[in-house]
Amino acid sequence: MARIFSGVKPTGHLTLGNYLGAVRRWVEVDQHRADALFSIVDLHALTVEHDPARVRRLSRQAATLLLAAGLDPERCTVFVQSHVDEHARLSYLLECTAADGEMRRMIQYKEKAARARSAGESVRLSLLTYPVLMAADILAYGTDEVPVGDDQAQHVELTRDLAVRFNQRYGHVFTVPRATHPEVAARVMDLQDPMSKMGKSHENGAGIVYLLDDADVIRRKIMRAVTDSGQGVEYDRASRPGVANLLEILAACENGNPEALAGVYESYGALKRDTAEAVVELLRPLRERHAELAAGPRYVDEVLRTGAERSRALARPLVDRAYEAIGLLPAG
């Protein structure tokens, strides 16, 4: 059975984009076909200015939402990254394998560093090196597959490069993983800026549907979604991105086809209303289950404890081998 690793960063409330783009596939496909590990990668949330209490709160919320969405701890492993020391242990070895230049070429580093500098903020060293920690997240478990969107493909390529380089220098330790791009995953764009991905940490939440938004808020956001200046409902991602985004969201909710759905509608209003109702109904059971789990947090605590124990048991022997291979003296 193949091993899959994927994670979610607790830098903001999880969104419809997170659900349709990744979590639903984890629930419906990945946990059933592979030995799957899903992590709340909280160490990655420390690369920028943050409120410690908020990181803890969002980490718990993310774990609760993953379980509410349908991840089954009898079928997969759900855990918090910082609960497993092997991630940080292996990250340093990979920093000793990576080069400064390849870190600075990472697209997300360039973009985030530029935004920080333009805001007059300092750039943390961890922002430069976090792709190495991401590689450690993946390599620590002998991962075969990493389901990612296009924006994360560069990080998986770096992970592959580091695994090959380490194996060539010090002996074979790591499985070289491959990125997978599930066809069923939807790329959901911001409702107010359909050229940008719907991101959970975006400053303006008007174009973001959060998984815990109530029904009226969801309806209001979708009814106010930016469309396009053209007439009629057509599916054209390049020239009609606003309408295309709504059609793709509706198609993802109903397992339909956005091009076919375009022919059903004669007005933007009708498309928006149907999309809003489809999203409300899609998220209703998730929100209800989240409320149940949040009311009795002991279950979530137990899942995370058990998940961390299994993750440590998987990762520690492999990371210990990497320590020995690179030349470190084994502990007595």
Side-chain angles (χ1 to χ4, degrees):
M1 182 178 287
R3 180 164 293 157
I4 289 175
F5 178 93
S6 199
V8 60
K9 187 163 56 174
T11 50
H13 301 285
L14 295 186
T15 72
L16 178 67
N18 297 127
Y19 181 73
L20 292 178
V23 175
R24 185 168 66 170
R25 163 126 186 146
W26 299 351
V27 170
E28 296 179 354
V29 179
D30 290 337
Q31 69 172 337
H32 300 284
R33 73 176 182 87
D35 180 9
L37 297 97
F38 302 108
S39 181
I40 294 83
V41 287
D42 53 345
L43 295 175
H44 291 291
L46 311 185
T47 61
V48 294
E49 189 67 29
H50 64 277
D51 172 26
R54 185 170 187 266
V55 171
R56 283 191 292 270
R57 185 171 64 251
L58 290 176
S59 296
R60 172 171 288 282
Q61 183 187 93
T64 307
L65 281 168
L66 293 183
L67 296 172
L71 286 185
D72 181 355
E74 297 297 321
R75 293 182 176 274
C76 65
T77 304
V78 181
F79 69 104
V80 176
Q81 177 193 33
S82 63
H83 294 177
V84 181
D85 293 345
E86 279 63 35
H87 291 253
R89 289 180 64 208
L90 181 55
S91 182
Y92 183 72
L93 297 196
L94 295 179
E95 284 186 16
C96 296
T97 307
D100 173 78
E102 60 190 343
M103 293 296 98
R104 296 187 185 279
R105 288 194 295 271
M106 301 301 287
I107 294 170
Q108 290 200 16
Y109 169 73
K110 290 180 178 180
E111 293 176 346
K112 292 180 179 180
R115 285 199 296 270
R117 293 189 183 103
S118 66
E121 300 172 355
S122 61
V123 179
R124 299 187 183 194
L125 178 62
S126 56
L127 187 62
L128 178 66
T129 60
Y130 90 90
V132 176
L133 176 58
M134 186 179 297
D137 298 338
I138 296 165
L139 296 179
Y141 298 101
T143 301
D144 299 295
E145 298 180 21
V146 188
V148 292
D150 293 339
D151 58 331
Q152 295 293 329
Q154 188 184 32
H155 290 142
V156 180
E157 284 305 308
L158 173 70
T159 301
R160 290 171 55 83
D161 291 343
L162 294 179
V164 169
R165 191 178 306 158
F166 190 101
N167 288 345
Q168 289 175 341
R169 288 179 180 175
Y170 308 115
H172 190 277
V173 173
F174 298 119
T175 299
V176 180
R178 63 184 181 275
T180 58
H181 305 279
E183 294 181 3
V184 298
R187 183 172 173 82
V188 181
M189 313 305 281
D190 190 288
L191 296 171
Q192 293 298 315
D193 179 13
M195 299 302 292
S196 300
K197 188 176 74 168
M198 185 180 284
K200 58 182 177 293
S201 54
H202 198 285
E203 292 181 3
N204 181 5
I208 303 170
V209 174
Y210 297 104
L211 296 185
L212 295 180
D213 280 345
D214 65 36
D216 288 340
V217 171
I218 293 172
R219 292 186 183 101
R220 183 165 61 250
K221 287 180 177 180
I222 294 177
M223 292 305 295
R224 293 176 179 175
V226 169
T227 49
D228 307 289
S229 57
Q231 298 297 315
V233 177
E234 298 179 9
Y235 180 69
D236 188 330
R237 168 54 70 185
S239 63
R240 308 287 294 279
V243 172
N245 190 36
L246 291 171
L247 288 167
E248 289 177 355
I249 291 171
L250 180 58
C253 290
E254 299 183 346
N255 294 315
N257 180 290
E259 294 182 353
L261 285 171
V264 174
Y265 294 95
E266 297 181 356
S267 70
Y268 295 157
L271 172 61
K272 288 181 175 181
R273 283 192 295 273
D274 283 0
T275 302
E277 291 307 316
V279 171
V280 166
E281 291 308 311
L282 178 74
L283 298 183
R284 188 187 304 279
L286 184 152
R287 292 198 308 275
E288 291 173 352
R289 178 60 176 154
H290 175 272
E292 294 174 1
L293 292 174
R298 187 173 300 175
Y299 172 74
V300 177
D301 290 340
E302 179 62 20
V303 168
L304 296 180
R305 184 188 64 78
T306 303
E309 288 176 354
R310 178 171 189 266
S311 298
R312 282 193 293 268
L314 288 173
R316 185 163 296 167
L318 190 150
V319 175
D320 284 348
R321 289 204 308 274
Y323 267 58
E324 183 175 1
I326 206 171
L328 298 177
L329 189 66

